[in-house]
Amino acid sequence: MADKNSLRDVIRRHLDSEKLADPIRSMGELITSGALSRASFDELMQTEQLLGAPNLKETLLDLILVFTRECLEDHELSGTEIAELDSLVTIFRIEEGDFYELRRDAVQEVVSTQAMWMLQDRYVTDQEEVLQRDLQRLFGLSYDQYVVFLRPLAKKHIEELESKKLATQDREELKSIDSSIRNLRSVFLVAR
């Protein structure tokens, strides 16, 4: 199956829809040309005199986030999308902790949006757990940092389920709610 989002297409749409500073536009054009590599990126950094520019790392993180958000519209990351994201992280020299330190709110929003979608059916599937691991790795988050983002959402959802449990007498519904609570506690490590 072909991916609906390619890095080149997403960045092309971003370039068309946003007023961007010239150096950022040049970076986007390099991506859309299909010639992005560590060497071409380094050359662009030299010719545009971006090395040591203020907020350069933040700008690079923002470009990765633009692509990530678009890829996650269908609540999954394909192998191709993961490879392109990994390539951006490598070429842009993004280090573990950069997203957490410099774009924590944006990462929180992406992770929370995906978690809320996962929690809609009250059960986290294996595929959804893989997506969580992919996001954790992509954003260079430690397990504890990732859980800090998710635990409050999961805890709130578990509390809502426990309230529903008290309000129902249907045995099947009670079993379903108990199963959901156990699943969420195990996935998000929420204590009783």
Side-chain angles (χ1 to χ4, degrees):
M1 178 172 92
D3 288 307
K4 72 177 184 96
N5 297 311
S6 75
L7 175 61
R8 291 169 63 180
D9 291 340
V10 169
I11 298 302
R12 185 174 296 115
R13 287 192 299 271
H14 182 63
L15 289 174
D16 292 344
S17 69
E18 299 286 328
K19 285 191 171 196
L20 302 170
D22 287 340
I24 305 313
R25 182 161 294 284
S26 297
M27 199 174 313
E29 289 169 356
L30 175 62
I31 293 169
T32 60
S33 74
L36 180 65
S37 67
R38 187 168 263 185
S40 64
F41 173 75
D42 289 347
E43 183 180 324
L44 179 69
M45 293 294 102
Q46 288 289 340
T47 59
E48 295 286 337
Q49 299 177 342
L50 291 174
L51 294 175
N55 302 322
L56 175 63
K57 182 78 76 161
E58 290 88 341
T59 300
L60 298 173
L61 294 172
D62 290 341
L63 276 174
I64 295 170
L65 283 162
V66 164
F67 183 52
T68 303
R69 285 185 184 107
E70 187 107 5
C71 292
L72 287 170
E73 284 182 359
D74 62 358
H75 306 290
E76 61 183 60
L77 289 171
S78 71
T80 302
E81 291 166 341
I82 290 170
E84 288 183 317
L85 285 162
D86 285 343
S87 179
L88 281 179
V89 166
T90 300
I91 291 169
F92 291 169
R93 292 177 177 82
I94 305 303
E95 297 172 3
E96 192 167 306
D98 284 347
F99 277 105
Y100 192 77
E101 181 182 329
L102 301 171
R103 288 296 182 254
R104 184 179 309 190
D105 291 343
V107 171
Q108 170 80 54
E109 180 261 324
V110 169
V111 168
S112 295
T113 298
Q114 294 310 306
M116 288 171 52
W117 173 79
M118 287 180 218
L119 294 172
Q120 285 177 347
D121 67 357
R122 305 188 319 202
Y123 193 83
V124 179
T125 65
D126 291 342
Q127 181 179 356
E128 291 165 346
E129 279 193 68
V130 168
L131 175 60
Q132 288 183 75
R133 282 193 302 272
D134 288 343
L135 289 174
Q136 178 186 346
R137 187 183 56 72
L138 168 70
F139 292 133
L141 302 172
S142 71
Y143 179 77
D144 290 340
Q145 290 169 333
Y146 194 75
V147 169
V148 163
F149 289 152
L150 293 180
R151 192 170 282 144
L153 278 174
K155 189 172 184 176
K156 181 177 181 243
H157 200 69
I158 289 169
E159 289 168 358
E160 290 170 4
L161 287 171
E162 287 171 340
S163 293
K164 282 184 181 182
K165 184 177 170 180
L166 295 173
T168 189
Q169 297 298 318
D170 183 317
R171 287 177 139 315
E172 288 303 310
E173 180 67 9
L174 286 171
K175 282 175 62 176
S176 173
I177 291 171
D178 279 340
S179 175
S180 295
I181 291 171
R182 278 191 308 278
N183 171 259
L184 295 175
R185 283 189 192 284
S186 70
V187 170
F188 297 110
L189 299 179
V190 176
R192 292 184 182 269

